[in-house]
Amino acid sequence: GRYFGTAVASGRLGDSTYSTILDREFNMITPENEMKWDTTEPSRGSFNFAPADAIVGHASAHGQRMRGHTLVWHSQLPDWVKSLTDATTLRGVMDNHITTEMSHYKGTIYAWDVVNEAFADDGSGRHRGSVFQNVLGDGFIEEAFRTARNTDPSAKLCYNDYNIENWSDAKTQGVYRMVKDFKSRGVPIDCVGFQSHFGTGGPPASFQTTLSSFAALGVDVQLTELDIAQASGNAYATAVQDCLNVTRCTGITVWGIRDSDSWRSGENPLLFDRNGTKKPAYGAVLTTLGGS
Ligand code: XIL
């Protein structure tokens, strides 16, 4: 009943080992970089959707659904956006980026990561500094979600972040307070993505508690960028089981196919080795999902 997805790089689609595994194993796709601001609007008002269109085309030809990643993020953000200092201008630029990109993909995206990584790692539980935070203030996240809902009411709208898997962490609690506040005030939000970039031990012991606590606020939860250093079978099985134990955990995405495709390739964190052979972690995931 859950989807199982992967991050896809458009430049690898022509590699038949890669695309064979992609189409055999995965029914959800997240573009690894192609929908980010530096690719889609490298200069103001000039949009480039060709790389992401290639991935969406592949997905629709192979019956896979898409996660849109990502509309508002401090990273992989062009300098022309970072240099804006006037709130009215930046608000217009952000809203135009959201409406133009979401309109282009209307009807093809299951869920959008509307805002990515807006919270700080400093133990404060507050937003991180960014041009959006610094120029627009705390309300920029709400503004982005309202604009997104108005643009494509049928897409699910997610907040996505890393290091929010451990329930007692200040960052987790900060995001939880935001989602609770959004739900109480009617700000549109449908899901929270837990990136799940783990070390060798896999998820923290409290991960299931975190997932169920967010779900209890009335949002779906998903593991959106799962990878685990050295890919122990036990660690992968625990991560998958934590999701399966939460009714509103609707899917899992691993952040790449082969270890050689990974942004953490030195840590061999994925389910397939560089030859495209299934690793022990693949079997552990399959068994946990009830397959054989
Ligand atoms: C990473 C990609 O995998 C790399 O190819 C790129 O160089 C940097 O970004 N959090 C996210 C993802 O939300 O977009 C990031 O992806 C990994 C961390």
Side-chain angles (χ1 to χ4, degrees):
R2 271 78 174 181
Y3 71 76
F4 206 93
T6 187
V8 164
S10 58
R12 299 185 201 271
L13 285 172
D15 171 344
S16 63
T17 303
Y18 182 87
S19 60
T20 298
I21 300 171
L22 171 61
D23 298 337
R24 187 184 70 218
E25 306 284 353
F26 298 101
N27 61 1
M28 183 73 78
I29 288 176
T30 306
E32 186 169 1
N33 291 296
E34 291 80 351
M35 288 186 175
K36 295 171 180 175
W37 200 314
D38 58 354
T39 296
T40 56
E41 194 184 5
S43 59
R44 187 172 173 177
S46 163
F47 286 86
N48 171 29
F49 295 121
D53 287 353
I55 298 177
V56 174
H58 183 100
S60 84
H62 297 273
Q64 292 138 330
R65 290 187 293 165
M66 294 284 309
R67 291 186 52 94
H69 175 77
T70 177
L71 296 166
V72 179
W73 187 26
H74 67 276
S75 185
Q76 292 177 273
L77 182 69
D79 287 340
W80 71 266
V81 183
K82 287 186 197 162
S83 67
L84 296 173
T85 55
D86 175 67
T88 305
T89 305
L90 180 59
R91 188 178 303 112
V93 159
M94 183 182 82
D95 288 344
N96 182 57
H97 184 78
I98 293 169
T99 55
T100 305
E101 184 162 349
M102 283 188 83
S103 297
H104 182 81
Y105 291 111
K106 203 167 179 171
T108 70
I109 305 292
Y110 160 70
W112 274 103
D113 292 333
V114 177
V115 176
N116 197 34
E117 301 183 352
F119 279 72
D121 292 308
D122 59 5
S124 66
R126 298 172 61 88
H127 297 172
R128 74 167 66 235
S130 71
V131 69
F132 304 108
Q133 178 67 30
N134 302 346
V135 176
L136 301 180
D138 284 339
F140 87 90
I141 303 178
E142 169 171 356
E143 167 88 7
F145 275 85
R146 290 190 188 280
T147 302
R149 180 68 97 228
N150 285 336
T151 306
D152 185 355
S154 61
K156 292 196 181 292
L157 307 182
C158 303
Y159 176 78
N160 193 56
D161 213 331
Y162 66 93
N163 282 354
I164 58 167
E165 293 84 9
N166 186 28
W167 176 239
S168 61
D169 283 357
K171 190 172 176 184
T172 308
Q173 292 297 311
V175 175
Y176 180 83
R177 279 193 299 274
M178 176 189 75
V179 175
K180 191 173 184 183
D181 171 58
F182 279 15
K183 292 305 258 183
S184 74
R185 291 190 298 112
V187 179
I189 184 168
D190 305 306
C191 34
V192 175
F194 298 80
Q195 291 185 9
S196 307
H197 296 296
F198 294 131
T200 51
S206 63
F207 190 28
Q208 186 186 315
T209 297
T210 303
L211 294 172
S212 60
S213 299
F214 275 85
L217 293 176
V219 289
D220 291 340
V221 293
Q222 292 133 7
L223 279 57
T224 51
E225 304 183 12
L226 177 62
D227 52 17
I228 304 179
Q230 309 312 331
S232 102
N234 279 342
Y236 261 101
T238 303
V240 171
Q241 191 65 54
D242 285 343
C243 176
L244 295 181
N245 288 348
V246 175
T247 307
R248 288 199 79 159
C249 184
T250 56
I252 299 170
T253 296
V254 290
W255 204 242
I257 297 179
R258 301 163 299 193
D259 288 332
S260 48
D261 303 317
S262 172
W263 73 312
R264 302 169 68 189
S265 60
E267 298 175 286
N268 298 318
L270 295 175
L271 301 178
F272 296 86
D273 71 16
R274 40 204 78 220
N275 298 315
T277 303
K278 295 169 183 174
K279 293 165 59 182
Y282 176 96
V285 169
L286 180 64
T287 304
T288 308
L289 291 171
S292 59

